[in-house]
Amino acid sequence: MRIISGSAKGRILKSPKGMLTRPTLDRTRESLFNILANGVLEGASVLDIFAGTGALGLEALSRGAAHCVFIDHYTQALIRQNAELCGFGGQYEILRMEAGKALARLQGRQFQYIFADPPYNKNLVNSTIALICQYDLLAPDGLLLMEHSRDEEIADSLLYEIIREKAYGKDTRIAFIRRHQGGIES
Protein backbone atom coordinates (compact mmCIF):
# COMPACT_ATOMS: atom_id res chain seq x y z
CA MET A 1 0.00 0.00 0.00
CA ARG A 2 1.24 3.41 -0.94
CA ILE A 3 0.13 7.04 -1.13
CA ILE A 4 -0.95 7.60 -4.72
CA SER A 5 -0.72 11.35 -5.22
CA GLY A 6 0.12 14.66 -3.59
CA SER A 7 2.78 15.71 -1.12
CA ALA A 8 3.45 12.17 0.16
CA LYS A 9 3.16 10.46 -3.24
CA GLY A 10 4.89 7.09 -3.35
CA ARG A 11 5.28 6.66 0.41
CA ILE A 12 4.81 3.01 1.35
CA LEU A 13 2.38 2.56 4.25
CA LYS A 14 2.88 -0.02 6.97
CA SER A 15 0.19 -2.67 7.23
CA PRO A 16 -0.73 -4.85 10.19
CA LYS A 17 0.08 -8.52 10.19
CA GLY A 18 -2.89 -10.88 9.95
CA MET A 19 -6.47 -10.15 9.02
CA LEU A 20 -7.26 -7.44 11.58
CA THR A 21 -7.90 -4.94 8.79
CA ARG A 22 -9.03 -5.06 5.16
CA PRO A 23 -7.18 -2.14 3.57
CA THR A 24 -8.75 -0.36 0.61
CA LEU A 25 -6.75 -1.44 -2.42
CA ASP A 26 -4.49 1.13 -4.11
CA ARG A 27 -6.45 0.97 -7.38
CA THR A 28 -9.77 1.45 -5.55
CA ARG A 29 -8.38 4.41 -3.60
CA GLU A 30 -6.96 5.91 -6.80
CA SER A 31 -10.31 5.59 -8.57
CA LEU A 32 -12.15 7.05 -5.58
CA PHE A 33 -9.89 10.10 -5.37
CA ASN A 34 -10.00 10.59 -9.15
CA ILE A 35 -13.79 10.80 -8.89
CA LEU A 36 -13.42 13.49 -6.23
CA ALA A 37 -11.27 15.49 -8.70
CA ASN A 38 -8.21 17.59 -8.12
CA GLY A 39 -8.25 20.42 -5.63
CA VAL A 40 -11.51 19.61 -3.84
CA LEU A 41 -9.69 18.45 -0.72
CA GLU A 42 -7.66 21.64 -0.38
CA GLY A 43 -8.06 22.89 3.19
CA ALA A 44 -10.78 20.32 4.00
CA SER A 45 -11.49 18.74 7.35
CA VAL A 46 -11.64 14.95 6.97
CA LEU A 47 -12.90 12.09 9.15
CA ASP A 48 -11.71 8.51 8.54
CA ILE A 49 -13.89 5.97 10.41
CA PHE A 50 -12.71 2.35 10.80
CA ALA A 51 -9.40 3.77 9.58
CA GLY A 52 -7.23 0.64 9.73
CA THR A 53 -3.90 1.73 8.23
CA GLY A 54 -5.18 5.28 7.79
CA ALA A 55 -4.72 5.08 4.01
CA LEU A 56 -7.89 6.99 3.05
CA GLY A 57 -7.33 9.86 5.45
CA LEU A 58 -3.61 9.99 4.67
CA GLU A 59 -4.35 10.12 0.95
CA ALA A 60 -6.69 13.06 1.65
CA LEU A 61 -3.98 14.85 3.64
CA SER A 62 -1.48 14.20 0.85
CA ARG A 63 -3.90 15.82 -1.59
CA GLY A 64 -4.30 18.99 0.45
CA ALA A 65 -6.75 18.33 3.29
CA ALA A 66 -5.91 20.47 6.31
CA HIS A 67 -6.73 18.00 9.08
CA CYS A 68 -7.92 14.43 9.57
CA VAL A 69 -9.48 12.65 12.52
CA PHE A 70 -8.89 8.90 12.43
CA ILE A 71 -11.14 6.50 14.33
CA ASP A 72 -10.05 2.93 14.92
CA HIS A 73 -10.29 0.81 18.03
CA TYR A 74 -7.21 -1.30 17.26
CA THR A 75 -4.65 0.42 15.04
CA GLN A 76 -3.73 3.70 16.75
CA ALA A 77 0.03 3.05 16.71
CA LEU A 78 -0.02 1.97 13.06
CA ILE A 79 -1.95 5.08 11.96
CA ARG A 80 0.46 7.29 13.92
CA GLN A 81 3.49 5.59 12.30
CA ASN A 82 2.01 6.01 8.82
CA ALA A 83 1.04 9.66 9.43
CA GLU A 84 4.52 10.51 10.68
CA LEU A 85 6.12 8.56 7.82
CA CYS A 86 4.15 10.79 5.43
CA GLY A 87 5.16 13.97 7.26
CA PHE A 88 1.71 14.89 8.60
CA GLY A 89 2.65 15.63 12.20
CA GLY A 90 0.20 18.12 13.69
CA GLN A 91 -2.41 17.54 10.96
CA TYR A 92 -4.19 14.60 12.52
CA GLU A 93 -5.71 13.17 15.66
CA ILE A 94 -6.58 9.58 16.46
CA LEU A 95 -9.52 8.40 18.54
CA ARG A 96 -8.80 4.89 19.77
CA MET A 97 -12.26 3.74 20.71
CA GLU A 98 -15.35 2.05 19.35
CA ALA A 99 -16.73 4.04 16.41
CA GLY A 100 -20.08 4.93 18.03
CA LYS A 101 -18.39 6.43 21.10
CA ALA A 102 -15.89 8.31 18.95
CA LEU A 103 -18.63 9.77 16.74
CA ALA A 104 -20.52 10.93 19.86
CA ARG A 105 -17.34 12.60 21.11
CA LEU A 106 -17.05 14.51 17.80
CA GLN A 107 -20.54 16.04 18.10
CA GLY A 108 -20.28 19.77 17.46
CA ARG A 109 -17.65 19.36 14.73
CA GLN A 110 -18.31 19.00 11.01
CA PHE A 111 -16.27 17.47 8.23
CA GLN A 112 -16.26 18.18 4.50
CA TYR A 113 -15.30 14.57 3.75
CA ILE A 114 -16.07 11.49 5.79
CA PHE A 115 -14.59 8.14 4.77
CA ALA A 116 -16.14 5.07 6.38
CA ASP A 117 -15.00 1.51 5.75
CA PRO A 118 -16.64 -0.70 8.39
CA PRO A 119 -15.95 -4.43 8.53
CA TYR A 120 -18.07 -6.11 5.90
CA ASN A 121 -21.34 -7.85 6.75
CA LYS A 122 -21.36 -6.81 10.42
CA ASN A 123 -24.47 -4.57 10.17
CA LEU A 124 -22.36 -1.44 10.72
CA VAL A 125 -23.07 0.44 7.48
CA ASN A 126 -26.51 1.87 8.28
CA SER A 127 -25.82 2.35 11.98
CA THR A 128 -22.67 4.34 11.13
CA ILE A 129 -24.59 6.55 8.70
CA ALA A 130 -27.32 7.05 11.33
CA LEU A 131 -24.75 8.18 13.91
CA ILE A 132 -23.11 10.58 11.45
CA CYS A 133 -26.56 12.11 10.87
CA GLN A 134 -27.54 12.06 14.55
CA TYR A 135 -24.40 13.94 15.57
CA ASP A 136 -24.56 16.26 12.52
CA LEU A 137 -20.95 15.50 11.54
CA LEU A 138 -21.26 15.96 7.77
CA ALA A 139 -20.93 19.59 6.69
CA PRO A 140 -23.86 20.92 4.61
CA ASP A 141 -21.76 20.75 1.43
CA GLY A 142 -19.90 17.64 2.59
CA LEU A 143 -19.62 14.15 1.18
CA LEU A 144 -19.70 10.78 2.95
CA LEU A 145 -17.94 7.97 1.13
CA MET A 146 -19.15 4.63 2.49
CA GLU A 147 -17.22 1.54 1.43
CA HIS A 148 -19.31 -1.56 1.94
CA SER A 149 -19.97 -5.10 0.81
CA ARG A 150 -22.19 -5.70 -2.21
CA ASP A 151 -24.33 -7.77 0.16
CA GLU A 152 -25.13 -4.76 2.36
CA GLU A 153 -27.78 -2.30 1.22
CA ILE A 154 -27.87 1.29 2.41
CA ALA A 155 -31.29 2.19 3.79
CA ASP A 156 -33.32 5.00 2.25
CA SER A 157 -33.59 8.11 4.41
CA LEU A 158 -35.02 11.61 4.39
CA LEU A 159 -31.72 12.82 5.86
CA TYR A 160 -29.37 11.90 3.02
CA GLU A 161 -29.22 10.75 -0.59
CA ILE A 162 -26.87 8.49 -2.47
CA ILE A 163 -25.65 10.56 -5.39
CA ARG A 164 -23.40 7.90 -6.89
CA GLU A 165 -22.43 4.32 -6.28
CA LYS A 166 -19.53 2.48 -7.84
CA ALA A 167 -18.63 -1.21 -7.71
CA TYR A 168 -15.04 -2.39 -7.28
CA GLY A 169 -14.26 -6.04 -7.89
CA LYS A 170 -16.74 -8.71 -6.89
CA ASP A 171 -17.22 -7.66 -3.25
CA THR A 172 -16.92 -3.90 -2.83
CA ARG A 173 -19.14 -0.88 -3.44
CA ILE A 174 -18.54 2.73 -2.54
CA ALA A 175 -21.57 4.97 -2.05
CA PHE A 176 -21.19 8.75 -2.35
CA ILE A 177 -23.69 10.24 0.09
CA ARG A 178 -24.79 13.87 0.57
CA ARG A 179 -27.14 15.47 3.06
CA HIS A 180 -30.51 16.36 1.59
CA GLN A 181 -30.72 20.03 0.66
CA GLY A 182 -33.04 20.75 3.59
CA GLY A 183 -30.34 19.54 5.98
CA ILE A 184 -30.80 17.36 8.96
CA GLU A 185 -34.22 17.59 10.49
CA SER A 186 -34.79 17.24 14.19
Side-chain angles (χ1 to χ4, degrees):
M1 285 193 4
R2 63 184 172 83
I3 299 294
I4 295 155
S5 187
S7 65
K9 180 179 181 177
R11 298 278 166 90
I12 304 295
L13 300 177
K14 296 181 181 205
S15 296
K17 293 180 179 16
M19 296 300 292
L20 184 63
T21 64
R22 176 194 33 77
T24 302
L25 299 174
D26 285 358
R27 67 178 179 270
T28 303
R29 229 174 338 105
E30 183 172 21
S31 172
L32 170 69
F33 280 93
N34 285 342
I35 291 168
L36 290 178
N38 290 334
V40 300
L41 289 160
E42 197 65 42
S45 182
V46 174
L47 176 60
D48 188 349
I49 310 168
F50 306 101
T53 63
L56 290 168
L58 295 171
E59 187 73 40
L61 288 170
S62 183
R63 293 174 184 242
H67 189 264
C68 184
V69 176
F70 297 94
I71 297 173
D72 201 290
H73 193 67
Y74 303 105
T75 59
Q76 177 184 15
L78 180 64
I79 294 167
R80 180 170 282 110
Q81 285 177 342
N82 283 334
E84 295 300 324
L85 178 75
C86 292
F88 297 135
Q91 288 183 268
Y92 69 93
E93 60 189 285
I94 303 168
L95 299 179
R96 183 183 180 213
M97 59 184 68
E98 183 270 325
K101 289 180 183 175
L103 294 173
R105 180 177 282 185
L106 292 171
Q107 187 170 9
R109 294 173 67 178
Q110 290 193 322
F111 300 89
Q112 285 78 38
Y113 293 92
I114 299 176
F115 299 98
D117 184 8
Y120 284 4
N121 303 312
K122 302 283 186 192
N123 296 318
L124 293 170
V125 172
N126 289 301
S127 61
T128 301
I129 295 170
L131 290 172
I132 290 167
C133 291
Q134 177 183 338
Y135 298 125
D136 196 22
L137 299 175
L138 187 61
D141 59 342
L143 189 62
L144 165 61
L145 297 103
M146 176 60 74
E147 184 172 336
H148 59 105
S149 163
R150 285 182 171 224
D151 298 330
E152 295 175 285
E153 293 298 324
I154 295 176
D156 291 332
S157 174
L158 297 174
L159 301 177
Y160 58 83
E161 61 184 327
I162 298 172
I163 59 169
R164 181 177 186 164
E165 195 162 31
K166 185 161 174 49
Y168 293 92
K170 61 181 174 146
D171 295 326
T172 301
R173 290 189 299 181
I174 296 181
F176 295 71
I177 301 170
R178 286 209 188 274
R179 290 169 54 160
H180 274 295
Q181 294 294 3
I184 300 204
E185 300 168 7
S186 298

